[in-house]
Amino acid sequence: VETLRAVAPVLLAGALPADAAQRSAALASVTAGVKEVVAAFPPAVRDEVNDLFRLLDIRIARQLLTGVAAPWRDADPAAVHAFLERWRWSRIALLQSGYFALHDLVLGAWYADESAWGMLGYAGPPKVE
């Protein structure tokens, strides 16, 4: 949860509401959505995603792999952005896979949440009558 609370606002920069209460609710919804999706994955995939989050929760691993020294709850958004960009463009396929897992989980949860659609100017899928 702490990792998602640090990563999601960076990945969703510009899309989240400006109001602090709405922003907090949107991030809570994204976190819940990610948890729900991960729980529905096949066991092997779920284990890999959980391994990624466990690895990012280990202080020394987080420092070495991401460059983020602070605990996730205190992480500077600029440091989180820099870590995500390093992983996104890394020549190491495993780091790129980690970035895209985080990216796809967060953005998938965001766009799947009907409460976010109005902020995006999306009226929802067409209704078939």
Side-chain angles (χ1 to χ4, degrees):
V1 171
E2 292 295 327
T3 305
L4 286 172
R5 286 186 183 155
V7 170
V10 173
L11 289 172
L12 296 171
L16 292 169
D19 177 76
Q22 290 177 340
R23 181 181 180 92
S24 180
L27 290 171
S29 179
V30 166
T31 301
V34 169
K35 285 178 165 183
E36 185 179 328
V37 168
V38 171
F41 283 156
V45 176
R46 185 174 53 241
D47 290 346
E48 286 182 7
V49 172
N50 286 331
D51 286 347
L52 171 62
F53 284 112
R54 277 192 292 275
L55 180 67
L56 292 173
D57 280 342
I58 300 169
R59 187 176 65 86
I60 190 71
R62 182 181 61 252
Q63 286 178 297
L64 292 172
L65 293 172
T66 70
V68 177
W72 288 117
R73 70 182 166 278
D74 301 324
D76 176 34
V80 175
H81 181 265
F83 131 64
L84 289 169
E85 286 300 300
R86 276 192 307 277
W87 279 30
R88 178 181 185 183
W89 300 108
S90 177
R91 290 188 283 179
I92 301 170
L94 190 58
L95 296 181
Q96 274 193 350
S97 294
Y99 166 80
F100 285 111
L102 294 169
H103 175 274
D104 292 353
L105 286 167
V106 168
L107 270 68
W110 172 251
Y111 288 111
D113 182 2
E114 290 182 35
S115 68
W117 294 352
M119 290 179 273
L120 303 168
Y122 177 57
K127 298 194 186 327
V128 179
E129 297 186 31

